């Protein structure tokens, strides 16, 4: 196989929510493929810690924090990236929150605002600020981290699912808008992945057993397996893929429970 298909040599990538879980796995995968990284989360100390760890692994990583709930912070992050690197080749909007668990009717206005601002609006803000630099460099790729909660109903994660469904639609819209400039935009919808976010399920044996019985592969996924898809989407190997929502769930959404 042509190794250049999965190379990011000479490329610069920004990953939000990059200090743990799926975001950290994506950062490591991109770094190992040769990319320079911007490691971002709300906590600058966490960003510095992860950037230092990756640097010891031979990966060029820069810490830059931002509160994705504040548009001014998001714009400042985009400006800092452009000022420091002169442009961007790959953007991964991975950060997300689920402040409300339960029926939609029980969610308060603050839950709605927090969920949609961090999960959706921040991705649009970053894309709006950074995609033009990709176009100016001849192309680039954006990956938006959605969820299978956005492709089917959910009694507990309904509000989160609405924001993730909108994120997948954002990928389609931006793909149409920016495709002529060779900027590709895709979404990834993970199922249950072994992360801190999923611990309420993975740490509950009875709930997990029920969920795995509905998953053809009969296991939870790993952050590295999602990172593999994220790497494909920003390398030449994924060069003809845009506007898609790639589901990485072990078959949960296609299983019939048998």
């Amino acid at each position: 196989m042509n190794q250049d298909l999965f190379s990011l040599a000479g490329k610069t990538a920004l990953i939000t929510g990059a200090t743990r879980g799926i975001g950290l796995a994506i950062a490591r995968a991109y770094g190992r493929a040769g990319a320079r990284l911007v490691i971002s989360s709300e906590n600058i100390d966490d960003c510095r810690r992860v950037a230092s760890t990756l640097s010891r692994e031979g990966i060029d990583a820069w810490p830059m924090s931002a509160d994705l709930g504040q548009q001014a912070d998001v714009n400042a992050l985009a400006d800092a990236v452009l000022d420091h690197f002169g442009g961007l080749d790959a953007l991964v909007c991975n950060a997300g929150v689920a402040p409300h668990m339960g029926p939609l009717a029980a969610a308060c206005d603050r839950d709605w605002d927090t969920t949609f601002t961090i999960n959706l609006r921040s991705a649009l803000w970053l894309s709006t600020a950074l995609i033009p630099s990709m176009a100016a460099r001849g192309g680039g790729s954006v990956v938006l981290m959605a969820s299978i909660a956005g492709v089917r109903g959910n009694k507990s994660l309904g509000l989160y699912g609405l924001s993730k469904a909108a994120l997948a639609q954002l990928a389609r819209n931006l793909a149409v808008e920016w495709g002529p400039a060779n900027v590709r935009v895709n979404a990834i919808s993970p199922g249950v992945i072994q992360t801190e976010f999923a611990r309420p399920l993975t740490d509950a044996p009875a709930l997990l057993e029920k969920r795995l019985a509905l998953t053809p592969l009969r296991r939870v996924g790993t952050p590295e397996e999602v990172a593999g898809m994220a790497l494909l989407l920003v390398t030449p190997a994924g060069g003809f893929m845009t506007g898609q929502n790639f589901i990485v769930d072990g078959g949960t959404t296609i299983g019939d429970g048998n």
Side-chain angles (χ1 to χ4, degrees):
M1 181 178 293
N2 184 352
Q3 295 301 309
D4 289 343
L5 280 175
F6 295 93
S7 173
L8 290 175
K11 305 297 185 180
T12 301
L14 164 62
I15 303 107
T16 68
T19 58
R20 63 180 184 176
I22 291 172
L24 177 54
I26 292 173
R28 183 168 275 116
Y30 284 14
R32 289 174 175 171
R36 296 179 299 178
L37 306 178
V38 179
I39 301 297
S40 185
S41 77
E42 186 174 7
N43 187 301
I44 187 59
D45 290 335
D46 288 343
C47 294
R48 288 170 176 157
R49 172 182 52 80
V50 169
S52 178
T53 297
L54 293 175
S55 294
R56 289 194 297 271
E57 297 174 14
I59 294 171
D60 190 358
W62 295 77
M64 293 185 183
S65 65
D67 178 356
L68 297 185
Q70 304 297 323
Q71 187 172 9
D73 252 34
V74 174
N75 289 338
L77 171 63
D79 289 343
V81 170
L82 295 178
D83 288 345
H84 189 86
F85 295 103
L88 193 70
D89 302 291
L91 167 65
V92 180
C93 296
N94 170 72
V97 296
H100 173 73
M101 302 285 287
L104 285 170
C108 66
D109 287 346
R110 184 175 180 179
D111 293 330
W112 281 85
D113 288 342
T114 299
T115 301
F116 273 82
T117 296
I118 293 177
N119 293 1
L120 179 64
R121 291 190 186 108
S122 70
L124 177 59
W125 293 336
L126 276 173
S127 298
T128 299
L130 292 170
I131 286 180
S133 77
M134 296 181 186
R137 290 157 80 102
S141 180
V142 178
V143 177
L144 307 179
M145 197 59 62
S147 168
I148 63 168
V151 300
R152 63 180 194 174
N154 191 300
K155 291 187 291 185
S156 298
L157 286 170
L159 182 57
Y160 175 81
L162 283 174
S163 70
K164 293 300 188 175
L167 200 60
Q169 180 61 32
L170 177 61
R172 290 185 282 268
N173 287 345
L174 292 177
V176 170
E177 291 180 16
W178 287 98
N182 196 35
V183 176
R184 299 179 295 104
V185 186
N186 291 286
I188 299 175
S189 286
V192 179
I193 306 299
Q194 193 67 58
T195 63
E196 189 71 22
F197 182 82
R199 285 191 64 181
L201 176 59
T202 57
D203 286 356
L207 289 175
L208 183 60
E209 181 180 5
K210 181 179 178 181
R211 179 58 175 270
L212 294 185
L214 300 173
T215 300
L217 290 185
R218 298 295 193 266
R219 65 176 178 87
V220 300
T222 68
E224 290 74 21
E225 288 168 324
V226 181
M229 174 58 73
L231 179 62
L232 167 68
L233 292 176
V234 301
T235 57
F240 203 50
M241 299 176 182
T242 196
Q244 303 303 309
N245 182 19
F246 294 92
I247 295 176
V248 183
D249 72 345
T252 299
T253 52
I254 58 89
D256 63 0
N258 294 318

